Amino acid sequence: MSTPKFIVIEGLEGAGKSTALKAIESYLSEKGISSVVTCREPGGTLMGEAIRSIVKDNTIDEKIDSRTELLLMYASRIQLVENIIKPALADGKWVVCDRFYYSTFAYQGGGRDIDVDIIQNIHDASIGEFKPDLTVYMDIDPKLGLARAAGRGELDRFELEKVEFFERTRDMYLKLVDTSSEMKPVDASQSIENVREQVLQVLEEGALF
Ligand code: T5A
C-alpha cells in the first residue's frame, strides 16, 4: 500500500478548485484509495470555519488590518494541520485541501503587499517544515475567474477587491510556481473537461504511488 499523500489545490477565485477537488477524489477512488479526507482553507475545523466567516464577511463594519488577516489565516491553518491533516495522514488517509499556505503568500504577500519575510517568519513559527506532497496551481486571468465567481451571486469581502489586487496575487502565484518544485501549474482558462484532463495529468506525473 502506498504512503498517504497530502495534495493541495491553489488558484484565484473562479479558477475551478472545487471542481478539480471532485476530479481528484474520483481519480484516487479509481486508484483504489477510498480513505480520503477533503478540507478547505480558511476553515475545516470549528475555529477555522469561524475565521472563514469573519474574513469573507462583506458586511463587517470595521477595517480588517492586513496583518490581522494574515494572522487569522495562520490561526485557521494551525488548527487544520494539527487537528485534521496530520492525524489523517498518520491514520493512513490521503488528504486533499482546497487552498493552503501558498494562498497566504499570494493574497497577503502579493495582493496585500505584506513583506514576504514577515509571512515566512509567521509560517515557520506556525507550521514549520510541514508541506504538501503535491500542489496543483490552477492559473487563470483574474477577470475570467471573477466573472465565473460572479455568476454564483453575492460576492464576499475578497471578491469585492479591485482587479489589481488579484493581478498582484496572480503575479505572486506565478513567482511561487517558478521557485517551488512541488507546485504544478495547469491552464484553468480552458473548458471544464480540458482542465480536468490537465489536473489528472499532473497527478499521473506526480509519482504519488
Ligand atoms: N485567502 C485564503 C487568503 O486571502 N489567504 C489565505 O491564506 C487563504 C487560505 C477563500 C478566500 O480567502 C482568501 C482567498 C479567497 O478569497 P474560497 O471561497 O475558499 O475563499 O475561495 P474562492 O477562490 O473564492 O472559491 P471559488 O469557489 O470562487 O473558486 P473555485 O473553487 O476555484 O471555483 P469553482 O470550482 O467553485 O468554480 C466557480 C464557477 O466556475 C465554474 C464552476 O462551475 C462554478 O460555477 N467553472 C468553470 N466554468 C467554465 N470553465 C471552467 N473550466 C470552469 N471551472 C469551473
Side-chain angles (χ1 to χ4, degrees), residues 1-72:
M1 221 169 69
S2 57
T3 318
K5 300 289 187 316
F6 175 30
I7 302 170
V8 166
I9 311 159
E10 285 281 3
L12 294 179
E13 356 294 285
K17 296 179 295 300
S18 317
T19 315
L21 192 140
K22 291 191 194 100
I24 294 173
E25 270 188 293
S26 307
Y27 170 87
L28 293 177
S29 167
E30 279 164 24
K31 294 278 181 186
I33 293 160
S34 52
S35 281
V36 180
V37 171
T38 59
C39 48
R40 65 179 181 181
E41 278 211 345
T45 64
L46 272 178
M47 295 276 282
E49 289 297 320
I51 289 169
R52 182 181 180 88
S53 300
I54 293 170
V55 297
K56 289 186 65 133
D57 190 346
N58 62 11
T59 65
I60 285 189
D61 193 16
E62 174 177 317
K63 183 180 179 330
I64 301 183
D65 192 281
S66 298
R67 292 163 301 176
T68 309
E69 189 178 88
L70 167 64
L71 292 169
L72 286 173

Side-chain angles (χ1 to χ4, degrees), residues 49-164:
E49 289 297 320
I51 289 169
R52 182 181 180 88
S53 300
I54 293 170
V55 297
K56 289 186 65 133
D57 190 346
N58 62 11
T59 65
I60 285 189
D61 193 16
E62 174 177 317
K63 183 180 179 330
I64 301 183
D65 192 281
S66 298
R67 292 163 301 176
T68 309
E69 189 178 88
L70 167 64
L71 292 169
L72 286 173
M73 295 301 174
Y74 270 99
S76 171
R77 183 160 304 134
I78 292 168
Q79 291 300 107
L80 186 67
V81 167
E82 298 302 333
N83 294 330
I84 305 288
I85 300 177
K86 282 184 179 172
L89 293 169
D91 200 23
K93 295 173 183 151
W94 287 55
V95 179
V96 186
C97 196
D98 186 338
R99 298 189 179 280
F100 200 49
Y101 57 71
Y102 290 117
S103 283
T104 313
F105 283 88
Y107 282 79
Q108 279 65 51
R112 302 275 188 237
D113 203 23
I114 296 179
D115 188 331
V116 169
D117 289 341
I118 293 175
I119 302 178
Q120 189 66 53
N121 284 335
I122 294 169
H123 177 94
D124 293 344
S126 303
I127 63 164
E129 298 291 311
F130 183 75
K131 59 181 202 166
D133 294 290
L134 177 74
T135 297
V136 182
Y137 166 58
M138 310 193 61
D139 184 51
I140 195 162
D141 183 300
K143 291 194 187 83
L144 177 55
L146 290 170
R148 286 183 190 165
R152 286 178 315 200
E154 200 189 349
L155 301 178
D156 66 31
R157 194 176 64 85
F158 288 98
E159 290 161 350
L160 289 171
E161 289 289 340
K162 293 194 174 74
V163 72
E164 291 78 15

